[in-house]
Amino acid sequence: MSTTLITGGTVVSATGRRQADVLVDGERIVALLEPGSTLLGSDLRTTVDTVIDATGRYVIPGGVDAHTHMEMPFGGTSASDTFETGTTAAAWGGTTTIIDFAIQRFGERVQDGLATWHEKAAGNCAIDYGFHQIIGGVDEDALQAMDELIGEGITSFKLFMAYPGVFYSTDDQILRAMQTAAGNGATIMMHAENGPAIDALVAQHLARGETTPYYHGVSRPWQLEEEATHRAIMLADLTGAPLYVVHVSAKQAIAQIAAARNAGKNVFAETCPQYLYLSLEEQLGAPGFEGAKWVCSTPLRARAEGHQDEMWLALRTNDAQVVSTDHCPFCMKDQKELGLGNFSKIPNGIGSVEHRMDLLYQGVVDGRISLERWVELCSTTPARMFGLYGRKGVIEPGADADVVIYDPNGHTSIGYGKTHHMNMDHSAWEGFEIDGHVDTVISRGTLVIDDGAFRGRIGHGQFLKRGLSQYLL
Ligand code: URP
Ligand code: ZN
Ligand code: ZN
């Protein structure tokens, strides 16, 4: 087993920062030491196999992206990143763990859906990975499977109030799944949008000839996100299930979540970089078919209504606890183009897995969040929320040696053909200039990214059996 000493850096955690050297032995962190510590009189730097000088840089726990969709069949096509390309891109951006979504549809066995996801990922990942389970067809078998999956390390289940005919669950199905979760300790993840009402609006827009990507956003108004969020909170309250609302974009939905949290309920919110930076007017409203690049659900919201600023505020005040990407990439060619002339046929999703740490770090640069909060939102809380804390999300003795060395004085120009490793023919983040740079990424003690090169190995990433949430009130 090889040893590594990361010297001279500022180790940042969710609770503070300190000058410390980090000693790694094999796959684990074994000690945080006063800079320049000695062992039996010898300078540690002379006794370890590898020394990494992190002087002037931050040493942070590897990012945990708790919401990705590699190879997801959706919208008549499949998300364009495989587990190989997607986890490699994630590593380039300082993410060392993803939690992807295995899928069960109506009439299918949940266990078969999970087995399919294991087949897709096993041996193909550059970094560690876990799974949530989508329950797209709640029935007796599915409810029973939810109990079984807990023992297999799948401790969170996503339900959809949107996408009728695809993943949609009715309120009675949601109620029953939540009752099951309340019984076995699982977390219910909710896509909170009123799908049937959205479908009616979509049909009306199309009938009026309003077919461009802009109408994707207009047909999914914030009222239908707020309403669904409120309904999900009430059903969770009734049943006692912990509720984690995914990809929250509307300030009114966050207000519902904040009210529930203030009332002491186990309700949590995730938002994504797209809801912090991008908008209905600028991106979805781009000329021609360009806006298709940013078709995702929940949709980008109007900047004029102030949703983006409210999302930043929610991250600061802990009304929202996690930033994930909802990485679901599609190329323009042959994929997004399926919706030329009909926005409802554009596959929903944006690719961001590579840029989450950098994009959120701009919140530190701009004074919206602290350095510690950045680490908390991107690494520590997602690990706690989804039963990985102790191994992931922290630089402490005993934790996996998932470490990122981040240069606050570095610079990253995001753009297709520049810093782009996702399997897409465009970047949804084209032209974003980042103050900061992911210099070095270590996964379980193994160098993955260093000196501008991928030094990892496809197949290094292991499946993570997760425990129950460690973040409940
Ligand atoms: O647009 C999105 N979000 N695509 C992925 C599927 C989902 O709802 O998370
Ligand atoms: Zn969703
Ligand atoms: Zn998603």
Side-chain angles (χ1 to χ4, degrees):
M1 289 234 267
S2 75
T3 50
T4 302
L5 188 68
I6 304 168
T7 62
T10 303
V11 177
V12 185
S13 75
T15 53
R17 61 189 95 171
R18 62 182 266 215
Q19 290 301 120
D21 293 351
V22 179
L23 181 60
V24 174
D25 189 359
E27 298 197 341
R28 296 281 160 89
I29 293 163
V30 290
L32 262 72
L33 304 159
E34 290 302 314
S37 292
T38 55
L39 182 67
L40 301 176
S42 306
D43 183 337
L44 259 183
R45 284 171 296 190
T46 63
T47 60
V48 294
D49 298 311
T50 309
V51 176
I52 300 176
D53 182 1
T55 302
R57 298 180 288 169
Y58 298 131
V59 178
I60 62 171
V64 177
D65 190 339
H67 189 152
T68 68
H69 299 282
M70 306 303 172
E71 307 180 33
M72 180 194 194
F74 196 42
T77 181
S78 271
S80 55
D81 264 320
T82 60
F83 277 89
E84 176 172 339
T85 61
T87 58
T88 303
W92 275 101
T95 287
T96 52
T97 300
I98 62 162
I99 311 180
D100 206 83
F101 286 83
I103 296 178
Q104 176 252 2
R105 291 168 197 271
F106 188 75
E108 294 171 357
R109 286 182 73 242
V110 174
Q111 292 88 341
D112 292 345
L114 176 59
T116 301
W117 248 255
H118 274 299
E119 278 163 31
K120 285 175 195 266
N124 292 322
C125 293
I127 54 168
D128 289 349
Y129 62 96
F131 296 133
H132 313 285
Q133 179 70 50
I134 287 175
I135 305 287
V138 178
D139 58 16
E140 292 307 325
D141 285 350
L143 294 171
Q144 214 178 331
M146 285 173 68
D147 285 336
E148 273 175 40
L149 260 55
I150 299 285
E152 296 186 31
I154 314 296
T155 55
S156 39
F157 298 89
K158 183 175 178 188
L159 302 173
F160 290 79
M161 301 167 105
Y163 308 138
V166 187
F167 297 125
Y168 176 74
S169 288
T170 54
D171 286 352
D172 55 317
Q173 290 173 318
I174 290 169
L175 180 93
R176 297 200 60 205
M178 284 182 168
Q179 286 170 333
T180 303
N184 65 27
T187 296
I188 292 292
M189 306 173 79
M190 188 62 77
H191 181 132
E193 287 186 292
N194 185 324
I198 287 168
D199 276 5
L201 293 178
V202 167
Q204 290 167 7
H205 284 294
L206 291 175
R208 288 199 291 267
E210 295 165 345
T211 61
T212 60
Y214 179 73
Y215 291 97
H216 170 77
V218 176
S219 64
R220 308 179 88 93
W222 60 261
Q223 289 89 341
L224 298 184
E225 185 183 346
E226 181 183 7
E227 182 277 326
T229 302
H230 178 74
R231 189 157 30 103
I233 290 169
M234 290 298 129
L235 292 170
D237 190 36
L238 185 67
T239 56
L243 174 68
Y244 174 96
V245 185
V246 294
H247 48 54
V248 178
S249 64
K251 63 181 182 184
Q252 295 85 355
I254 272 292
Q256 291 289 338
I257 290 160
R261 291 177 57 75
N262 290 342
K265 300 184 205 304
N266 273 316
V267 175
F268 309 98
E270 160 198 278
T271 193
C272 313
Q274 51 268 36
Y275 307 123
L276 299 166
Y277 287 105
L278 310 180
S279 73
L280 172 71
E281 303 95 319
E282 293 143 306
Q283 276 74 32
L284 277 175
F289 191 63
E290 198 66 10
K293 290 176 181 171
W294 299 283
V295 164
C296 61
S297 297
T298 60
L300 304 185
R301 299 287 174 200
R303 196 176 298 283
E305 293 172 358
H307 299 279
Q308 295 79 3
D309 282 343
E310 289 294 323
M311 284 298 147
W312 277 112
L313 199 58
L315 292 178
R316 191 180 173 113
T317 60
N318 208 36
D319 288 342
Q321 299 76 39
V322 172
V323 177
S324 310
T325 54
D326 191 9
H327 178 75
C328 193
F330 296 102
C331 293
M332 284 294 265
K333 188 165 167 30
D334 297 336
Q335 296 199 297
K336 293 284 185 180
E337 279 175 359
L338 292 168
L340 270 167
N342 181 343
F343 68 83
S344 74
K345 300 230 178 312
I346 301 169
N348 284 204
I350 290 182
S352 312
V353 77
E354 189 171 352
H355 304 307
R356 184 182 62 121
M357 304 295 284
D358 277 334
L359 288 167
L360 257 289
Y361 183 69
Q362 298 319 284
V364 180
V365 173
D366 297 342
R368 291 183 185 265
I369 54 172
S370 70
L371 192 59
E372 288 78 5
R373 184 67 177 154
W374 173 53
V375 169
E376 190 172 25
L377 291 165
C378 293
S379 183
T380 310
T381 301
R384 287 181 69 195
M385 189 73 73
F386 295 110
L388 291 170
Y389 190 71
R391 272 192 80 176
K392 307 295 186 188
V394 67
I395 296 183
E396 286 289 347
D400 283 357
D402 287 9
V403 180
V404 172
I405 300 176
Y406 197 83
D407 183 359
N409 299 310
H411 187 84
T412 309
S413 293
I414 301 184
Y416 188 67
K418 288 188 196 163
T419 51
H420 187 100
H421 300 88
M422 298 174 285
N423 186 32
M424 303 170 70
D425 61 3
H426 66 278
S427 171
W429 301 97
E430 191 69 41
F432 272 67
E433 297 293 333
I434 301 294
D435 287 333
H437 188 262
V438 174
D439 283 356
T440 302
V441 179
I442 298 169
S443 162
R444 292 194 341 273
T446 294
L447 209 53
V448 182
I449 303 292
D450 193 38
D451 212 11
F454 178 74
R455 301 185 186 279
R457 181 177 61 80
I458 300 306
H460 163 84
Q462 291 180 352
F463 172 67
L464 297 163
K465 259 184 147 184
R466 295 182 295 111
L468 299 178
S469 175
Q470 298 151 301
Y471 200 80
L472 302 186
L473 294 174

mmCIF file of all heavy atoms in Angstrom, residues 4 46 94 111 127 181 185 211 252 256 334-335 390 439 447:
data_model
loop_
_atom_site.group_PDB
_atom_site.id
_atom_site.type_symbol
_atom_site.label_atom_id
_atom_site.label_comp_id
_atom_site.label_asym_id
_atom_site.label_seq_id
_atom_site.Cartn_x
_atom_site.Cartn_y
_atom_site.Cartn_z
ATOM 1 N N THR A 4 0.860 8.754 0.856
ATOM 2 C CA THR A 4 0.938 10.079 0.233
ATOM 3 C C THR A 4 0.824 11.115 1.329
ATOM 4 O O THR A 4 0.019 10.961 2.251
ATOM 5 C CB THR A 4 -0.224 10.269 -0.776
ATOM 6 O OG1 THR A 4 -0.163 9.227 -1.758
ATOM 7 C CG2 THR A 4 -0.150 11.626 -1.470
ATOM 8 N N THR A 46 10.198 12.607 3.827
ATOM 9 C CA THR A 46 11.228 11.693 3.316
ATOM 10 C C THR A 46 10.828 10.228 3.491
ATOM 11 O O THR A 46 11.492 9.337 2.969
ATOM 12 C CB THR A 46 12.563 11.926 4.050
ATOM 13 O OG1 THR A 46 12.358 11.615 5.438
ATOM 14 C CG2 THR A 46 13.044 13.355 3.881
ATOM 15 N N GLY A 94 -13.598 17.638 -10.015
ATOM 16 C CA GLY A 94 -13.438 17.560 -8.565
ATOM 17 C C GLY A 94 -14.527 16.782 -7.850
ATOM 18 O O GLY A 94 -14.631 16.854 -6.621
ATOM 19 N N GLN A 111 -36.133 -4.896 -8.797
ATOM 20 C CA GLN A 111 -34.819 -5.554 -8.695
ATOM 21 C C GLN A 111 -34.165 -5.671 -10.073
ATOM 22 O O GLN A 111 -32.937 -5.600 -10.186
ATOM 23 C CB GLN A 111 -34.956 -6.953 -8.079
ATOM 24 C CG GLN A 111 -35.361 -6.960 -6.612
ATOM 25 C CD GLN A 111 -36.872 -6.953 -6.406
ATOM 26 O OE1 GLN A 111 -37.641 -6.601 -7.318
ATOM 27 N NE2 GLN A 111 -37.302 -7.315 -5.215
ATOM 28 N N ILE A 127 -14.613 6.868 -10.714
ATOM 29 C CA ILE A 127 -14.782 7.272 -9.311
ATOM 30 C C ILE A 127 -15.894 6.406 -8.700
ATOM 31 O O ILE A 127 -16.614 5.710 -9.422
ATOM 32 C CB ILE A 127 -15.171 8.767 -9.202
ATOM 33 C CG1 ILE A 127 -16.418 9.049 -10.056
ATOM 34 C CG2 ILE A 127 -13.984 9.657 -9.604
ATOM 35 C CD1 ILE A 127 -17.050 10.389 -9.806
ATOM 36 N N ALA A 181 -41.607 3.997 3.102
ATOM 37 C CA ALA A 181 -40.350 4.667 3.493
ATOM 38 C C ALA A 181 -40.369 5.024 4.975
ATOM 39 O O ALA A 181 -39.346 4.892 5.664
ATOM 40 C CB ALA A 181 -40.140 5.914 2.644
ATOM 41 N N GLY A 185 -37.216 3.572 6.905
ATOM 42 C CA GLY A 185 -36.192 4.598 7.134
ATOM 43 C C GLY A 185 -35.642 5.254 5.885
ATOM 44 O O GLY A 185 -34.751 6.099 5.966
ATOM 45 N N THR A 211 -44.212 26.645 -30.369
ATOM 46 C CA THR A 211 -43.504 25.361 -30.394
ATOM 47 C C THR A 211 -42.029 25.442 -29.999
ATOM 48 O O THR A 211 -41.364 24.419 -29.932
ATOM 49 C CB THR A 211 -43.568 24.759 -31.821
ATOM 50 O OG1 THR A 211 -42.918 25.685 -32.714
ATOM 51 C CG2 THR A 211 -44.995 24.516 -32.272
ATOM 52 N N GLN A 252 -40.997 30.096 -4.886
ATOM 53 C CA GLN A 252 -42.190 29.763 -4.109
ATOM 54 C C GLN A 252 -42.114 28.322 -3.574
ATOM 55 O O GLN A 252 -42.644 28.031 -2.487
ATOM 56 C CB GLN A 252 -43.441 29.933 -4.975
ATOM 57 C CG GLN A 252 -43.711 31.357 -5.422
ATOM 58 C CD GLN A 252 -42.946 31.761 -6.693
ATOM 59 O OE1 GLN A 252 -42.123 30.996 -7.212
ATOM 60 N NE2 GLN A 252 -43.216 32.959 -7.201
ATOM 61 N N GLN A 256 -42.095 27.032 0.421
ATOM 62 C CA GLN A 256 -42.866 25.922 1.007
ATOM 63 C C GLN A 256 -41.950 25.021 1.850
ATOM 64 O O GLN A 256 -42.309 24.584 2.948
ATOM 65 C CB GLN A 256 -43.515 25.085 -0.098
ATOM 66 C CG GLN A 256 -44.629 25.786 -0.864
ATOM 67 C CD GLN A 256 -45.888 25.980 -0.027
ATOM 68 O OE1 GLN A 256 -46.110 25.269 0.954
ATOM 69 N NE2 GLN A 256 -46.709 26.944 -0.408
ATOM 70 N N ASP A 334 -29.353 14.972 -33.342
ATOM 71 C CA ASP A 334 -30.097 13.709 -33.217
ATOM 72 C C ASP A 334 -30.797 13.514 -31.866
ATOM 73 O O ASP A 334 -31.570 12.582 -31.718
ATOM 74 C CB ASP A 334 -29.197 12.477 -33.453
ATOM 75 C CG ASP A 334 -28.644 12.436 -34.864
ATOM 76 O OD1 ASP A 334 -29.282 13.056 -35.747
ATOM 77 O OD2 ASP A 334 -27.592 11.825 -35.073
ATOM 78 N N GLN A 335 -30.484 14.339 -30.867
ATOM 79 C CA GLN A 335 -31.144 14.153 -29.573
ATOM 80 C C GLN A 335 -32.057 15.340 -29.266
ATOM 81 O O GLN A 335 -33.266 15.255 -29.422
ATOM 82 C CB GLN A 335 -30.097 13.937 -28.476
ATOM 83 C CG GLN A 335 -29.292 12.643 -28.694
ATOM 84 C CD GLN A 335 -28.601 12.145 -27.459
ATOM 85 O OE1 GLN A 335 -27.730 12.817 -26.902
ATOM 86 N NE2 GLN A 335 -28.964 10.957 -27.010
ATOM 87 N N GLY A 390 -18.639 9.878 6.828
ATOM 88 C CA GLY A 390 -17.622 9.072 7.512
ATOM 89 C C GLY A 390 -16.656 8.546 6.484
ATOM 90 O O GLY A 390 -15.444 8.736 6.592
ATOM 91 N N ASP A 439 -7.054 21.388 -9.445
ATOM 92 C CA ASP A 439 -5.701 20.998 -9.872
ATOM 93 C C ASP A 439 -5.480 19.492 -9.782
ATOM 94 O O ASP A 439 -4.944 18.883 -10.696
ATOM 95 C CB ASP A 439 -4.653 21.688 -8.982
ATOM 96 C CG ASP A 439 -4.452 23.145 -9.358
ATOM 97 O OD1 ASP A 439 -5.064 23.609 -10.344
ATOM 98 O OD2 ASP A 439 -3.679 23.827 -8.655
ATOM 99 N N LEU A 447 -4.409 8.732 -7.556
ATOM 100 C CA LEU A 447 -4.436 9.964 -8.327
ATOM 101 C C LEU A 447 -5.330 9.773 -9.554
ATOM 102 O O LEU A 447 -5.164 8.808 -10.309
ATOM 103 C CB LEU A 447 -3.004 10.273 -8.772
ATOM 104 C CG LEU A 447 -2.584 11.704 -8.996
ATOM 105 C CD1 LEU A 447 -2.887 12.570 -7.783
ATOM 106 C CD2 LEU A 447 -1.093 11.747 -9.335
#
